[in-house]
Amino acid sequence: MSKLRSVKGMNDVLPEDAARWHRLESTFRELVGRYGFGEVRTPLVEPTDLFVRSIGEATDIVEKEMYTFEDKGEKSLTLRPEGTASAARAWIQHSVGGKHPVSKWFYLGPMYRRERPAKGRYRQFWQAGCEIYGDPGPYVDAELIDFVVRYLRALGIQDIEVLVNSLGAGGTRDRYRDALLEYLRPHASELSEDSQRRLERNPLRVLDSKAPQDQAIAENAPDILDHLDEESREHFETLKSALDDLGTPYRVEPRLVRGLDYYTRTLFEVRGRGGDLGANAALCGGGRYDNMIAELGGPATPAIGFAIGLDRLLLVMAETEPKPTLDGFLVVQAKELRGKALAIAQTLRDAGARVDADLRGGSMKSQFRRADKSSAPFALILGEREAAEGTVQVKELATGEQRELPIDQVAAAIIRD
Ligand code: AMP
């Protein structure tokens, strides 16, 4: 019989790796809390149309990476490839704009894209993201970019580069699109197959392409910042000075367009420069999407957001000291005491201690071996006399130091923070 394995590009997290994930998640939750973000949890599955309409048809995600299926032949559904569209759908559906002129949301969860798996690129991967609805920026844009930098620093990730750009608003895209097409058309035959196909429909995608022949041509492409409308130019200048005020390091990168269609004005990406991922790995992408809410049928509302790839952070963040998952491990001298040991374990758990007992039996020696392996710093030894007197022997495994304590004093003696 063939062995059952997880789906390619979809990974398990085993208990010994979970502590590092918890650190990523709890640091994020703690920081968003300080800024007043509230959590939104949306379904993993949405109508396919939501992603086609928001992310855009001529994008890698919609063209080839979505997990799409027919729900009993009735409706086309898709596993969410990102969080922004789902959050916007929920924001519109629950008429949040009518109740709160500005709302700050965050999410944390798995996303699905059928990409070619590689280190740091998976088919199920985790994103933590924030969205702010109702504030046209640019101060909030600066604050969000700064937030990402602070989060990464809190995880010990210092070696990063923040790239910012503006895609403008109003007619900027159309004007730039024309200028870009004019530049790209004479090079059409030198472009990659994907870029040739998309050239007329979505020439901005060529700037985003990973194909080396496309990148070489993109080098000399016209600069979008030369095509900004007046208001967007001012928006971008104010964004940069707000970043300066915050002391957030950044570099303006006019070639940054990013792979989703919905962005307007502010666009940013944070790249990691070291660690296991190698140079220039995208850790976080974000930007403003002032038209998306209206395009999805909601009230015209400016919005901005970002998503951070947690799997990638795991590859660049500093090692986390493994913490013991238990405080105490019960060792029982006689078979008849096992029921009593269960009750003691329960009393200690009720008092907040993390306690386990292995009541399969076995000699004291083998029980101590289990205690050693368990990660608990203390063995809690229960013999006939201790059981009669309502005590246990608390033995610190690292030093061998041992003292007898009444049950109601044990939890306080073994709990570490
Ligand atoms: P995006 O939603 O494409 O803007 O991506 C935002 C961030 O999510 C990226 O900067 C990556 O850190 C992460 N990410 C995107 N796709 C993947 C993937 N297939 N595997 C792991 N992380 C990903």
Side-chain angles (χ1 to χ4, degrees), residues 61 65 81-84 107 111-116 118 120-127 258-260 262-263 269-270 277 281-286 306-313:
I61 295 180
E65 295 172 358
E82 52 111 56
T84 299
Y107 60 83
M111 308 294 162
Y112 301 86
R113 294 183 198 171
R114 201 168 189 290
E115 295 200 70
R116 199 163 38 79
R121 191 170 60 227
Y122 309 112
R123 290 180 169 180
Q124 175 183 274
F125 57 96
W126 287 69
Q127 285 187 338
R258 305 191 26 73
L260 301 94
Y262 50 59
Y263 291 120
E269 186 164 291
V270 180
L277 266 182
L283 302 178
C284 168
F306 68 77
I308 302 177
L310 298 186
D311 303 77
R312 294 194 185 168
L313 296 195

mmCIF file of all heavy atoms in Angstrom, residues 61 65 81-84 107 111-116 118 120-127 258-260 262-263 269-270 277 281-286 306-313, ligand 1:
data_model
loop_
_atom_site.group_PDB
_atom_site.id
_atom_site.type_symbol
_atom_site.label_atom_id
_atom_site.label_comp_id
_atom_site.label_asym_id
_atom_site.label_seq_id
_atom_site.Cartn_x
_atom_site.Cartn_y
_atom_site.Cartn_z
ATOM 1 N N ILE A 61 -1.769 34.833 -9.734
ATOM 2 C CA ILE A 61 -2.665 34.145 -8.794
ATOM 3 C C ILE A 61 -3.914 33.654 -9.513
ATOM 4 O O ILE A 61 -4.254 32.476 -9.461
ATOM 5 C CB ILE A 61 -3.057 35.078 -7.619
ATOM 6 C CG1 ILE A 61 -1.827 35.421 -6.785
ATOM 7 C CG2 ILE A 61 -4.127 34.435 -6.751
ATOM 8 C CD1 ILE A 61 -2.109 36.347 -5.606
ATOM 9 N N GLU A 65 -2.768 30.025 -10.123
ATOM 10 C CA GLU A 65 -2.396 29.515 -8.797
ATOM 11 C C GLU A 65 -3.559 29.193 -7.867
ATOM 12 O O GLU A 65 -3.338 28.695 -6.773
ATOM 13 C CB GLU A 65 -1.480 30.539 -8.099
ATOM 14 C CG GLU A 65 -0.149 30.695 -8.820
ATOM 15 C CD GLU A 65 0.705 31.831 -8.279
ATOM 16 O OE1 GLU A 65 0.259 32.541 -7.359
ATOM 17 O OE2 GLU A 65 1.817 32.001 -8.793
ATOM 18 N N PRO A 81 -6.512 32.767 -1.665
ATOM 19 C CA PRO A 81 -5.072 32.875 -1.947
ATOM 20 C C PRO A 81 -4.430 34.030 -1.180
ATOM 21 O O PRO A 81 -3.209 34.158 -1.154
ATOM 22 C CB PRO A 81 -5.025 33.146 -3.447
ATOM 23 C CG PRO A 81 -6.340 33.792 -3.764
ATOM 24 C CD PRO A 81 -7.348 33.334 -2.747
ATOM 25 N N GLU A 82 -5.229 34.885 -0.573
ATOM 26 C CA GLU A 82 -4.731 36.026 0.213
ATOM 27 C C GLU A 82 -5.875 36.543 1.073
ATOM 28 O O GLU A 82 -7.010 36.067 0.944
ATOM 29 C CB GLU A 82 -4.193 37.122 -0.721
ATOM 30 C CG GLU A 82 -5.182 37.531 -1.800
ATOM 31 C CD GLU A 82 -5.722 38.920 -1.605
ATOM 32 O OE1 GLU A 82 -4.919 39.845 -1.517
ATOM 33 O OE2 GLU A 82 -6.955 39.077 -1.523
ATOM 34 N N GLY A 83 -5.589 37.505 1.962
ATOM 35 C CA GLY A 83 -6.599 37.897 2.940
ATOM 36 C C GLY A 83 -7.358 39.185 2.649
ATOM 37 O O GLY A 83 -8.446 39.404 3.175
ATOM 38 N N THR A 84 -6.771 40.048 1.797
ATOM 39 C CA THR A 84 -7.362 41.379 1.605
ATOM 40 C C THR A 84 -8.767 41.327 1.005
ATOM 41 O O THR A 84 -9.675 42.023 1.454
ATOM 42 C CB THR A 84 -6.431 42.237 0.723
ATOM 43 O OG1 THR A 84 -5.183 42.352 1.405
ATOM 44 C CG2 THR A 84 -7.004 43.609 0.466
ATOM 45 N N TYR A 107 -5.724 40.096 10.527
ATOM 46 C CA TYR A 107 -6.051 38.672 10.380
ATOM 47 C C TYR A 107 -4.766 37.875 10.443
ATOM 48 O O TYR A 107 -3.662 38.413 10.266
ATOM 49 C CB TYR A 107 -6.783 38.395 9.050
ATOM 50 C CG TYR A 107 -5.973 38.772 7.836
ATOM 51 C CD1 TYR A 107 -5.010 37.911 7.298
ATOM 52 C CD2 TYR A 107 -6.133 40.028 7.238
ATOM 53 C CE1 TYR A 107 -4.253 38.270 6.209
ATOM 54 C CE2 TYR A 107 -5.379 40.393 6.140
ATOM 55 C CZ TYR A 107 -4.438 39.511 5.630
ATOM 56 O OH TYR A 107 -3.671 39.884 4.554
ATOM 57 N N MET A 111 -3.141 30.623 3.799
ATOM 58 C CA MET A 111 -3.559 31.001 2.442
ATOM 59 C C MET A 111 -3.104 29.895 1.491
ATOM 60 O O MET A 111 -2.184 29.132 1.833
ATOM 61 C CB MET A 111 -2.893 32.325 2.016
ATOM 62 C CG MET A 111 -3.065 33.449 3.007
ATOM 63 S SD MET A 111 -4.785 33.953 3.133
ATOM 64 C CE MET A 111 -4.760 34.840 4.708
ATOM 65 N N TYR A 112 -3.705 29.837 0.309
ATOM 66 C CA TYR A 112 -3.453 28.710 -0.601
ATOM 67 C C TYR A 112 -3.156 29.201 -2.016
ATOM 68 O O TYR A 112 -3.960 29.918 -2.602
ATOM 69 C CB TYR A 112 -4.679 27.794 -0.622
ATOM 70 C CG TYR A 112 -4.993 27.275 0.764
ATOM 71 C CD1 TYR A 112 -5.782 28.015 1.632
ATOM 72 C CD2 TYR A 112 -4.444 26.081 1.213
ATOM 73 C CE1 TYR A 112 -6.038 27.577 2.923
ATOM 74 C CE2 TYR A 112 -4.690 25.628 2.504
ATOM 75 C CZ TYR A 112 -5.485 26.385 3.346
ATOM 76 O OH TYR A 112 -5.723 25.956 4.626
ATOM 77 N N ARG A 113 -1.984 28.823 -2.513
ATOM 78 C CA ARG A 113 -1.660 29.143 -3.912
ATOM 79 C C ARG A 113 -0.917 27.945 -4.492
ATOM 80 O O ARG A 113 0.018 27.439 -3.867
ATOM 81 C CB ARG A 113 -0.748 30.380 -4.012
ATOM 82 C CG ARG A 113 -1.415 31.637 -3.546
ATOM 83 C CD ARG A 113 -0.517 32.855 -3.723
ATOM 84 N NE ARG A 113 -1.011 33.952 -2.900
ATOM 85 C CZ ARG A 113 -0.366 35.094 -2.701
ATOM 86 N NH1 ARG A 113 0.809 35.289 -3.274
ATOM 87 N NH2 ARG A 113 -0.882 36.027 -1.926
ATOM 88 N N ARG A 114 -1.303 27.582 -5.715
ATOM 89 C CA ARG A 114 -0.652 26.424 -6.319
ATOM 90 C C ARG A 114 0.625 26.893 -7.020
ATOM 91 O O ARG A 114 0.705 26.921 -8.249
ATOM 92 C CB ARG A 114 -1.601 25.732 -7.292
ATOM 93 C CG ARG A 114 -1.215 24.316 -7.541
ATOM 94 C CD ARG A 114 -2.279 23.531 -8.264
ATOM 95 N NE ARG A 114 -1.943 22.117 -8.283
ATOM 96 C CZ ARG A 114 -0.966 21.586 -8.971
ATOM 97 N NH1 ARG A 114 -0.193 22.356 -9.730
ATOM 98 N NH2 ARG A 114 -0.726 20.287 -8.910
ATOM 99 N N GLU A 115 1.619 27.259 -6.208
ATOM 100 C CA GLU A 115 2.901 27.688 -6.757
ATOM 101 C C GLU A 115 3.844 26.500 -6.800
ATOM 102 O O GLU A 115 3.564 25.446 -6.237
ATOM 103 C CB GLU A 115 3.507 28.761 -5.850
ATOM 104 C CG GLU A 115 2.684 30.028 -5.809
ATOM 105 C CD GLU A 115 3.505 31.205 -5.333
ATOM 106 O OE1 GLU A 115 4.387 31.650 -6.095
ATOM 107 O OE2 GLU A 115 3.271 31.677 -4.211
ATOM 108 N N ARG A 116 5.002 26.692 -7.461
ATOM 109 C CA ARG A 116 6.004 25.620 -7.460
ATOM 110 C C ARG A 116 6.695 25.653 -6.100
ATOM 111 O O ARG A 116 7.319 26.643 -5.752
ATOM 112 C CB ARG A 116 7.012 25.846 -8.585
ATOM 113 C CG ARG A 116 7.810 24.622 -8.978
ATOM 114 C CD ARG A 116 8.464 24.813 -10.340
ATOM 115 N NE ARG A 116 8.950 26.190 -10.512
ATOM 116 C CZ ARG A 116 10.083 26.663 -10.002
ATOM 117 N NH1 ARG A 116 10.862 25.917 -9.269
ATOM 118 N NH2 ARG A 116 10.432 27.926 -10.218
ATOM 119 N N ALA A 118 9.168 25.583 -3.068
ATOM 120 C CA ALA A 118 10.612 25.776 -2.898
ATOM 121 C C ALA A 118 10.797 26.257 -1.476
ATOM 122 O O ALA A 118 9.823 26.415 -0.744
ATOM 123 C CB ALA A 118 11.120 26.833 -3.878
ATOM 124 N N GLY A 120 10.697 28.484 1.410
ATOM 125 C CA GLY A 120 9.998 29.759 1.612
ATOM 126 C C GLY A 120 8.839 29.982 0.653
ATOM 127 O O GLY A 120 8.220 31.034 0.668
ATOM 128 N N ARG A 121 8.565 29.009 -0.214
ATOM 129 C CA ARG A 121 7.404 29.137 -1.106
ATOM 130 C C ARG A 121 6.597 27.840 -1.035
ATOM 131 O O ARG A 121 7.081 26.784 -1.443
ATOM 132 C CB ARG A 121 7.834 29.415 -2.531
ATOM 133 C CG ARG A 121 6.649 29.810 -3.418
ATOM 134 C CD ARG A 121 7.063 30.324 -4.766
ATOM 135 N NE ARG A 121 7.802 29.328 -5.498
ATOM 136 C CZ ARG A 121 8.931 29.526 -6.149
ATOM 137 N NH1 ARG A 121 9.471 30.716 -6.161
ATOM 138 N NH2 ARG A 121 9.531 28.548 -6.793
ATOM 139 N N TYR A 122 5.415 27.952 -0.471
ATOM 140 C CA TYR A 122 4.613 26.761 -0.224
ATOM 141 C C TYR A 122 3.232 26.918 -0.841
ATOM 142 O O TYR A 122 2.869 27.994 -1.312
ATOM 143 C CB TYR A 122 4.512 26.516 1.292
ATOM 144 C CG TYR A 122 5.858 26.538 1.955
ATOM 145 C CD1 TYR A 122 6.220 27.554 2.827
ATOM 146 C CD2 TYR A 122 6.806 25.569 1.639
ATOM 147 C CE1 TYR A 122 7.479 27.606 3.396
ATOM 148 C CE2 TYR A 122 8.070 25.611 2.201
ATOM 149 C CZ TYR A 122 8.405 26.633 3.076
ATOM 150 O OH TYR A 122 9.662 26.686 3.614
ATOM 151 N N ARG A 123 2.470 25.837 -0.823
ATOM 152 C CA ARG A 123 1.115 25.900 -1.389
ATOM 153 C C ARG A 123 0.085 26.228 -0.308
ATOM 154 O O ARG A 123 -0.965 26.753 -0.595
ATOM 155 C CB ARG A 123 0.803 24.583 -2.099
ATOM 156 C CG ARG A 123 1.642 24.467 -3.357
ATOM 157 C CD ARG A 123 1.410 23.194 -4.123
ATOM 158 N NE ARG A 123 2.052 23.294 -5.428
ATOM 159 C CZ ARG A 123 2.035 22.351 -6.345
ATOM 160 N NH1 ARG A 123 1.385 21.223 -6.110
ATOM 161 N NH2 ARG A 123 2.632 22.530 -7.500
ATOM 162 N N GLN A 124 0.402 25.854 0.910
ATOM 163 C CA GLN A 124 -0.319 26.429 2.054
ATOM 164 C C GLN A 124 0.717 27.208 2.854
ATOM 165 O O GLN A 124 1.737 26.643 3.247
ATOM 166 C CB GLN A 124 -0.941 25.353 2.943
ATOM 167 C CG GLN A 124 -1.578 25.989 4.196
ATOM 168 C CD GLN A 124 -2.150 24.985 5.174
ATOM 169 O OE1 GLN A 124 -3.279 24.570 5.033
ATOM 170 N NE2 GLN A 124 -1.346 24.613 6.145
ATOM 171 N N PHE A 125 0.467 28.485 3.039
ATOM 172 C CA PHE A 125 1.412 29.306 3.800
ATOM 173 C C PHE A 125 0.609 30.253 4.671
ATOM 174 O O PHE A 125 -0.576 30.460 4.461
ATOM 175 C CB PHE A 125 2.341 30.086 2.853
ATOM 176 C CG PHE A 125 1.612 30.969 1.884
ATOM 177 C CD1 PHE A 125 1.426 32.309 2.146
ATOM 178 C CD2 PHE A 125 1.088 30.449 0.713
ATOM 179 C CE1 PHE A 125 0.729 33.134 1.262
ATOM 180 C CE2 PHE A 125 0.380 31.254 -0.170
ATOM 181 C CZ PHE A 125 0.202 32.589 0.095
ATOM 182 N N TRP A 126 1.279 30.810 5.678
ATOM 183 C CA TRP A 126 0.571 31.620 6.675
ATOM 184 C C TRP A 126 0.878 33.095 6.480
ATOM 185 O O TRP A 126 2.027 33.469 6.288
ATOM 186 C CB TRP A 126 0.955 31.174 8.083
ATOM 187 C CG TRP A 126 0.338 29.869 8.434
ATOM 188 C CD1 TRP A 126 0.656 28.645 7.890
ATOM 189 C CD2 TRP A 126 -0.735 29.639 9.353
ATOM 190 N NE1 TRP A 126 -0.154 27.680 8.426
ATOM 191 C CE2 TRP A 126 -1.017 28.256 9.330
ATOM 192 C CE3 TRP A 126 -1.471 30.470 10.190
ATOM 193 C CZ2 TRP A 126 -2.005 27.689 10.111
ATOM 194 C CZ3 TRP A 126 -2.456 29.905 10.982
ATOM 195 C CH2 TRP A 126 -2.716 28.522 10.939
ATOM 196 N N GLN A 127 -0.177 33.880 6.535
ATOM 197 C CA GLN A 127 0.013 35.327 6.476
ATOM 198 C C GLN A 127 -0.598 35.993 7.701
ATOM 199 O O GLN A 127 -1.646 35.575 8.188
ATOM 200 C CB GLN A 127 -0.668 35.919 5.229
ATOM 201 C CG GLN A 127 0.090 35.651 3.941
ATOM 202 C CD GLN A 127 -0.516 36.384 2.750
ATOM 203 O OE1 GLN A 127 -1.685 36.756 2.757
ATOM 204 N NE2 GLN A 127 0.286 36.587 1.722
ATOM 205 N N ARG A 258 4.280 45.022 -7.879
ATOM 206 C CA ARG A 258 3.656 43.926 -7.151
ATOM 207 C C ARG A 258 2.536 43.259 -7.944
ATOM 208 O O ARG A 258 1.905 43.845 -8.791
ATOM 209 C CB ARG A 258 3.169 44.346 -5.772
ATOM 210 C CG ARG A 258 4.322 44.962 -4.959
ATOM 211 C CD ARG A 258 4.053 45.171 -3.517
ATOM 212 N NE ARG A 258 3.057 44.279 -2.986
ATOM 213 C CZ ARG A 258 3.243 42.993 -2.748
ATOM 214 N NH1 ARG A 258 4.431 42.463 -2.939
ATOM 215 N NH2 ARG A 258 2.276 42.274 -2.276
ATOM 216 N N GLY A 259 2.337 41.970 -7.644
ATOM 217 C CA GLY A 259 1.555 41.112 -8.541
ATOM 218 C C GLY A 259 0.045 41.176 -8.471
ATOM 219 O O GLY A 259 -0.622 40.319 -9.011
ATOM 220 N N LEU A 260 -0.525 42.156 -7.780
ATOM 221 C CA LEU A 260 -1.984 42.195 -7.711
ATOM 222 C C LEU A 260 -2.474 43.496 -8.339
ATOM 223 O O LEU A 260 -1.803 44.514 -8.240
ATOM 224 C CB LEU A 260 -2.452 42.098 -6.246
ATOM 225 C CG LEU A 260 -1.997 40.819 -5.536
ATOM 226 C CD1 LEU A 260 -0.705 41.030 -4.777
ATOM 227 C CD2 LEU A 260 -3.061 40.333 -4.582
ATOM 228 N N TYR A 262 -5.067 45.423 -7.666
ATOM 229 C CA TYR A 262 -5.936 46.378 -7.002
ATOM 230 C C TYR A 262 -5.259 47.602 -6.394
ATOM 231 O O TYR A 262 -5.904 48.481 -5.870
ATOM 232 C CB TYR A 262 -6.823 45.692 -5.952
ATOM 233 C CG TYR A 262 -6.163 44.781 -4.941
ATOM 234 C CD1 TYR A 262 -5.171 45.233 -4.090
ATOM 235 C CD2 TYR A 262 -6.596 43.463 -4.801
ATOM 236 C CE1 TYR A 262 -4.614 44.406 -3.140
ATOM 237 C CE2 TYR A 262 -6.042 42.617 -3.855
ATOM 238 C CZ TYR A 262 -5.055 43.096 -3.021
ATOM 239 O OH TYR A 262 -4.516 42.268 -2.086
ATOM 240 N N TYR A 263 -3.935 47.687 -6.483
ATOM 241 C CA TYR A 263 -3.260 48.785 -5.790
ATOM 242 C C TYR A 263 -3.392 50.148 -6.461
ATOM 243 O O TYR A 263 -3.423 50.251 -7.680
ATOM 244 C CB TYR A 263 -1.781 48.450 -5.628
ATOM 245 C CG TYR A 263 -1.519 47.325 -4.653
ATOM 246 C CD1 TYR A 263 -0.882 46.167 -5.048
ATOM 247 C CD2 TYR A 263 -1.915 47.433 -3.327
ATOM 248 C CE1 TYR A 263 -0.642 45.136 -4.149
ATOM 249 C CE2 TYR A 263 -1.677 46.413 -2.431
ATOM 250 C CZ TYR A 263 -1.036 45.268 -2.848
ATOM 251 O OH TYR A 263 -0.801 44.255 -1.960
ATOM 252 N N GLU A 269 7.085 47.057 -0.086
ATOM 253 C CA GLU A 269 7.493 45.666 0.094
ATOM 254 C C GLU A 269 8.658 45.686 1.082
ATOM 255 O O GLU A 269 9.482 46.594 1.048
ATOM 256 C CB GLU A 269 7.929 45.090 -1.251
ATOM 257 C CG GLU A 269 8.233 43.621 -1.200
ATOM 258 C CD GLU A 269 8.270 42.994 -2.594
ATOM 259 O OE1 GLU A 269 7.194 42.893 -3.238
ATOM 260 O OE2 GLU A 269 9.360 42.625 -3.035
ATOM 261 N N VAL A 270 8.692 44.690 1.954
ATOM 262 C CA VAL A 270 9.835 44.581 2.858
ATOM 263 C C VAL A 270 10.568 43.301 2.494
ATOM 264 O O VAL A 270 9.957 42.236 2.392
ATOM 265 C CB VAL A 270 9.393 44.557 4.337
ATOM 266 C CG1 VAL A 270 10.605 44.434 5.250
ATOM 267 C CG2 VAL A 270 8.605 45.809 4.682
ATOM 268 N N LEU A 277 16.880 32.264 3.750
ATOM 269 C CA LEU A 277 16.124 32.500 2.526
ATOM 270 C C LEU A 277 16.979 33.089 1.415
ATOM 271 O O LEU A 277 16.561 33.135 0.270
ATOM 272 C CB LEU A 277 14.987 33.483 2.816
ATOM 273 C CG LEU A 277 13.643 32.883 3.160
ATOM 274 C CD1 LEU A 277 12.654 34.007 3.357
ATOM 275 C CD2 LEU A 277 13.162 31.962 2.061
ATOM 276 N N ALA A 281 14.536 38.243 -0.315
ATOM 277 C CA ALA A 281 13.285 37.493 -0.232
ATOM 278 C C ALA A 281 12.196 38.420 0.276
ATOM 279 O O ALA A 281 12.393 39.126 1.257
ATOM 280 C CB ALA A 281 13.455 36.323 0.720
ATOM 281 N N ALA A 282 11.060 38.421 -0.413
ATOM 282 C CA ALA A 282 9.957 39.285 0.023
ATOM 283 C C ALA A 282 9.352 38.715 1.298
ATOM 284 O O ALA A 282 8.923 37.570 1.350
ATOM 285 C CB ALA A 282 8.909 39.366 -1.072
ATOM 286 N N LEU A 283 9.383 39.534 2.355
ATOM 287 C CA LEU A 283 8.799 39.101 3.633
ATOM 288 C C LEU A 283 7.391 39.653 3.782
ATOM 289 O O LEU A 283 6.538 39.044 4.430
ATOM 290 C CB LEU A 283 9.651 39.601 4.802
ATOM 291 C CG LEU A 283 11.113 39.181 4.818
ATOM 292 C CD1 LEU A 283 11.825 39.807 6.012
ATOM 293 C CD2 LEU A 283 11.227 37.660 4.881
ATOM 294 N N CYS A 284 7.162 40.834 3.209
ATOM 295 C CA CYS A 284 5.869 41.501 3.401
ATOM 296 C C CYS A 284 5.556 42.352 2.182
ATOM 297 O O CYS A 284 6.450 42.971 1.614
ATOM 298 C CB CYS A 284 5.974 42.413 4.627
ATOM 299 S SG CYS A 284 4.585 43.557 4.787
ATOM 300 N N GLY A 285 4.302 42.354 1.779
ATOM 301 C CA GLY A 285 3.878 43.218 0.682
ATOM 302 C C GLY A 285 2.619 43.951 1.081
ATOM 303 O O GLY A 285 1.790 43.411 1.807
ATOM 304 N N GLY A 286 2.512 45.198 0.641
ATOM 305 C CA GLY A 286 1.290 45.919 0.988
ATOM 306 C C GLY A 286 1.088 47.124 0.111
ATOM 307 O O GLY A 286 1.955 47.480 -0.696
ATOM 308 N N PHE A 306 -1.493 45.317 4.380
ATOM 309 C CA PHE A 306 -0.276 44.557 4.055
ATOM 310 C C PHE A 306 -0.459 43.115 4.499
ATOM 311 O O PHE A 306 -1.358 42.814 5.304
ATOM 312 C CB PHE A 306 0.966 45.153 4.748
ATOM 313 C CG PHE A 306 0.947 44.989 6.240
ATOM 314 C CD1 PHE A 306 1.244 43.764 6.838
ATOM 315 C CD2 PHE A 306 0.619 46.052 7.069
ATOM 316 C CE1 PHE A 306 1.205 43.608 8.220
ATOM 317 C CE2 PHE A 306 0.572 45.911 8.443
ATOM 318 C CZ PHE A 306 0.863 44.680 9.017
ATOM 319 N N ALA A 307 0.386 42.246 3.952
ATOM 320 C CA ALA A 307 0.424 40.854 4.423
ATOM 321 C C ALA A 307 1.873 40.445 4.608
ATOM 322 O O ALA A 307 2.724 40.711 3.750
ATOM 323 C CB ALA A 307 -0.257 39.940 3.422
ATOM 324 N N ILE A 308 2.140 39.814 5.734
ATOM 325 C CA ILE A 308 3.493 39.332 6.030
ATOM 326 C C ILE A 308 3.478 37.814 5.917
ATOM 327 O O ILE A 308 2.543 37.157 6.402
ATOM 328 C CB ILE A 308 3.900 39.711 7.470
ATOM 329 C CG1 ILE A 308 3.832 41.224 7.660
ATOM 330 C CG2 ILE A 308 5.292 39.201 7.805
ATOM 331 C CD1 ILE A 308 4.146 41.683 9.071
ATOM 332 N N GLY A 309 4.477 37.244 5.278
ATOM 333 C CA GLY A 309 4.558 35.783 5.135
ATOM 334 C C GLY A 309 5.245 35.171 6.351
ATOM 335 O O GLY A 309 6.452 35.293 6.515
ATOM 336 N N LEU A 310 4.468 34.508 7.197
ATOM 337 C CA LEU A 310 5.046 33.994 8.451
ATOM 338 C C LEU A 310 6.032 32.850 8.226
ATOM 339 O O LEU A 310 7.025 32.722 8.937
ATOM 340 C CB LEU A 310 3.927 33.555 9.402
ATOM 341 C CG LEU A 310 2.965 34.657 9.861
ATOM 342 C CD1 LEU A 310 1.991 34.121 10.902
ATOM 343 C CD2 LEU A 310 3.730 35.847 10.449
ATOM 344 N N ASP A 311 5.763 32.000 7.208
ATOM 345 C CA ASP A 311 6.704 30.887 6.946
ATOM 346 C C ASP A 311 8.096 31.440 6.653
ATOM 347 O O ASP A 311 9.107 30.848 7.027
ATOM 348 C CB ASP A 311 6.244 30.078 5.735
ATOM 349 C CG ASP A 311 4.842 29.533 5.920
ATOM 350 O OD1 ASP A 311 3.868 30.314 5.784
ATOM 351 O OD2 ASP A 311 4.719 28.352 6.220
ATOM 352 N N ARG A 312 8.114 32.577 5.937
ATOM 353 C CA ARG A 312 9.417 33.164 5.593
ATOM 354 C C ARG A 312 10.089 33.783 6.809
ATOM 355 O O ARG A 312 11.303 33.711 6.943
ATOM 356 C CB ARG A 312 9.246 34.208 4.493
ATOM 357 C CG ARG A 312 8.801 33.537 3.208
ATOM 358 C CD ARG A 312 8.933 34.399 2.000
ATOM 359 N NE ARG A 312 8.355 33.667 0.870
ATOM 360 C CZ ARG A 312 8.100 34.188 -0.300
ATOM 361 N NH1 ARG A 312 8.385 35.450 -0.521
ATOM 362 N NH2 ARG A 312 7.587 33.448 -1.254
ATOM 363 N N LEU A 313 9.289 34.392 7.684
ATOM 364 C CA LEU A 313 9.893 34.977 8.901
ATOM 365 C C LEU A 313 10.591 33.892 9.718
ATOM 366 O O LEU A 313 11.659 34.092 10.279
ATOM 367 C CB LEU A 313 8.836 35.648 9.769
ATOM 368 C CG LEU A 313 8.111 36.848 9.175
ATOM 369 C CD1 LEU A 313 7.380 37.599 10.283
ATOM 370 C CD2 LEU A 313 9.064 37.777 8.453
HETATM 371 P P1 AMP B 1 1.394 38.754 -1.483
HETATM 372 O O1 AMP B 1 0.060 38.377 -0.898
HETATM 373 O O2 AMP B 1 1.699 38.031 -2.751
HETATM 374 O O3 AMP B 1 1.578 40.227 -1.529
HETATM 375 O O4 AMP B 1 2.482 38.197 -0.468
HETATM 376 C C1 AMP B 1 2.730 38.765 0.794
HETATM 377 C C2 AMP B 1 3.774 37.929 1.504
HETATM 378 O O5 AMP B 1 3.269 36.609 1.696
HETATM 379 C C3 AMP B 1 5.060 37.716 0.717
HETATM 380 O O6 AMP B 1 5.942 38.791 0.928
HETATM 381 C C4 AMP B 1 5.581 36.415 1.281
HETATM 382 O O7 AMP B 1 6.283 36.647 2.481
HETATM 383 C C5 AMP B 1 4.313 35.658 1.610
HETATM 384 N N1 AMP B 1 4.013 34.667 0.551
HETATM 385 C C6 AMP B 1 3.381 34.856 -0.625
HETATM 386 N N2 AMP B 1 3.279 33.700 -1.305
HETATM 387 C C7 AMP B 1 3.867 32.744 -0.558
HETATM 388 C C8 AMP B 1 4.084 31.332 -0.705
HETATM 389 N N3 AMP B 1 3.653 30.666 -1.767
HETATM 390 N N4 AMP B 1 4.736 30.674 0.289
HETATM 391 C C9 AMP B 1 5.170 31.334 1.391
HETATM 392 N N5 AMP B 1 4.991 32.650 1.583
HETATM 393 C C10 AMP B 1 4.346 33.364 0.629
#
